[in-house]
Amino acid sequence: MRAGLVSASGKNPTLSLLLWDVALPLAAYYGLRLAGQSEQVSLLAGAGVAAARIAWVAVRERSFDGFAALLAGVLGVGLVLSLVTGDAKFLLLKESFATATAAIVLLLSCFSRTPMVLVAVRAGSSAAKRAEIDRLSEEVPGFRRAFTRMSAVWGVALLLEAVIRVPLVYTLSADVMNALSVVLLLAVIGGLSLWSVRYAEKVQKRHTVAT
């Protein structure tokens, strides 16, 4: 039987997940920022896109989209913090709080039977593929461990990004850090996304052979 993360049509649920749950809300946020919209409007738009994705998955697939919910929460934290007044350094640090929140959720999920990336990929799959994912999760311990590892890598990487941002904020000028902040986050998300797709393909191939 062909098992794993690639559907019969050749589509990779992990890639679809990253495009819909991560790239689209971030594109809405940064696109509006580049268009000159306020930070609050941009954050609200990004969170709105993520919330719409949650509702779409819930109605269409009758499943909860954990990754979209996580990103909506991160953007929501950013929206709340954007309303807090403070000096320029504090305002630059607020993204670290949001990123660290996502990292902690991802890392805590590694101690449960449903690591966040597994929840997200399952939500982004068809009903038949969800059933196959559930079967492999119960019958093949290595399958679940692979998703726990993916969740851990995302969590550690995002936590490091949040920590690295702190000394940069107090070392660089506000203008430089404003630009670098966007590049830093997109570089981390892009790198994680690329690694996730490749790693998911390796897991799929391994379990295709094994089953």
Side-chain angles (χ1 to χ4, degrees), residues 115-201:
M116 183 60 70
V117 176
L118 176 59
V119 173
V121 171
R122 185 184 183 281
S125 302
S126 64
K129 184 55 61 176
R130 287 201 302 272
E132 183 67 5
I133 289 173
D134 291 342
R135 184 188 70 80
L136 288 171
S137 297
E138 292 297 326
E139 299 178 4
V140 185
F143 184 80
R144 186 183 296 275
R145 283 198 300 270
F147 282 98
T148 298
R149 188 174 297 114
M150 290 175 72
S151 299
V153 170
W154 272 81
V156 170
L158 290 176
L159 189 60
L160 286 175
E161 190 271 346
V163 171
I164 290 172
R165 187 187 300 273
V166 176
L168 291 176
V169 166
Y170 287 98
T171 301
L172 303 174
S173 68
D175 289 339
V176 172
M177 192 57 205
N178 268 320
L180 182 60
S181 181
V182 176
V183 174
L184 183 62
L185 181 59
L186 292 181
V188 172
I189 295 294
L192 286 170
S193 300
L194 181 60
W195 173 80
S196 296
V197 171
R198 290 181 175 178
Y199 183 73
E201 289 174 349

Side-chain angles (χ1 to χ4, degrees), residues 76-121:
V77 169
L79 180 60
V80 172
L81 291 175
S82 71
L83 303 175
V84 178
T85 58
D87 60 23
K89 299 296 184 183
F90 174 79
L91 295 178
L92 286 171
L93 282 174
K94 70 183 183 301
E95 292 188 16
S96 288
F97 290 106
T99 305
T101 299
I104 291 171
V105 172
L106 282 158
L107 291 173
L108 289 177
S109 76
C110 295
F111 296 97
S112 70
R113 287 184 56 81
T114 53
M116 183 60 70
V117 176
L118 176 59
V119 173
V121 171

